[in-house]
Amino acid sequence: MNKVTKISAISLFALFLTACDKPAEKAPAPAQNTQTAQPQNAQPNQVTLNVNEQNIDDVKKFLNWDAQQIEILNAPQDELRIATENKDTAKIQAALQQLTEKANQVLADADKLDIKDPTVNLLKDKAKENLVLSINFVNESFGYMVQGKQPSEEDKQKLNATYQRVAASSQELQQIREKLHQIIAPKPAQEQPKQEQPTTK
């Protein structure tokens, strides 16, 4: 499975810290409406899922949705990286806005999934929670650049603490995804043992 997470917080945060050393001379107004909708009944605790015949269809629905969202969110993330490297605050603001809109679309799509298994729903909510945390973290981080401000050391410490939460949550979800893909992957057909032919006397 492709190990690209929906929000590449690690690379974006590193890019943010590097870019903050040389802020752009001009900055437009701060980005508007960059808060994602909070998922309902999100579960912060670890989710353990046993796949069986009763819930395997729900697992496949979740994994299909999960894979589709990677494609949806990749483009605005790339635009944010390019805008940041070019110190173009107007395009940074536009990329943040687009990323937030796409993330809200992802969350809305998750709510439309017809998943009946309660444990799979907990996993879906955990994925939504991680996405919200990631998007808000990216907006908070790059908001300093949009406003033409340098984060203080205290601000950087707070951002780093949030980043650690995002990284830990993303890693846990990635491990769950990989295990689920391994479980539902088609098993290779096993060769039937050859029966010995009866010998004739």
Side-chain angles (χ1 to χ4, degrees):
M1 177 185 174
N2 191 335
K3 291 189 177 182
V4 178
T5 54
K6 286 191 282 290
I7 296 297
S8 183
I10 296 176
S11 58
L12 290 178
F13 188 49
L15 184 62
F16 158 71
L17 291 177
T18 301
C20 277
D21 291 336
K22 295 180 180 180
E25 295 180 359
K26 282 190 174 183
Q32 300 296 320
N33 300 322
T34 55
Q35 288 295 312
T36 54
Q38 299 295 324
Q40 298 297 316
N41 301 320
Q43 298 295 320
N45 297 324
Q46 188 171 8
V47 176
T48 302
L49 177 60
N50 294 319
V51 178
N52 52 55
E53 293 181 359
Q54 284 70 40
N55 65 12
I56 192 169
D57 287 341
D58 285 343
V59 170
K60 290 179 178 179
K61 289 176 185 177
F62 167 75
L63 289 176
N64 288 337
W65 165 82
D66 186 68
Q68 291 170 0
Q69 309 325 311
I70 294 176
E71 297 300 322
I72 292 176
L73 296 171
N74 268 346
Q77 287 184 85
D78 289 340
E79 291 181 10
L80 179 57
R81 291 190 187 93
I82 294 171
T84 304
E85 291 169 354
N86 294 331
K87 304 294 191 298
D88 190 328
T89 50
K91 289 186 177 180
I92 291 173
Q93 180 177 347
L96 288 173
Q97 185 70 29
Q98 184 184 19
L99 185 59
T100 302
E101 291 173 357
K102 293 294 184 182
N104 282 325
Q105 175 187 334
V106 166
L107 294 171
D109 289 344
D111 291 334
K112 296 176 184 176
L113 294 176
D114 183 21
I115 292 178
K116 298 179 175 61
D117 185 89
T119 309
V120 180
N121 269 317
L122 289 179
L123 179 56
K124 181 191 72 175
D125 288 339
K126 186 173 183 63
K128 290 171 59 181
E129 179 191 38
N130 180 70
L131 177 58
V132 170
L133 182 64
S134 300
I135 287 291
N136 289 340
F137 166 70
V138 170
N139 276 308
E140 184 179 2
S141 300
F142 286 87
Y144 289 100
M145 296 183 65
V146 171
Q147 299 175 53
K149 296 180 180 179
Q150 281 276 20
S152 65
E153 289 303 315
E154 182 180 358
D155 292 332
K156 288 183 180 181
Q157 290 178 3
K158 291 180 179 179
L159 288 172
N160 186 63
T162 304
Y163 158 75
Q164 296 297 335
R165 290 178 56 200
V166 173
S169 178
S170 297
Q171 183 179 14
E172 181 187 345
L173 281 171
Q174 184 60 39
Q175 291 173 348
I176 294 174
R177 291 185 192 109
E178 291 177 351
K179 289 180 181 178
L180 292 179
H181 275 281
Q182 291 174 1
I183 292 172
I184 69 172
K187 302 294 187 295
Q190 295 182 350
E191 292 186 5
Q192 296 294 328
K194 294 182 179 179
Q195 295 182 352
E196 295 184 3
Q197 297 294 329
T199 56
T200 58
K201 293 184 180 180

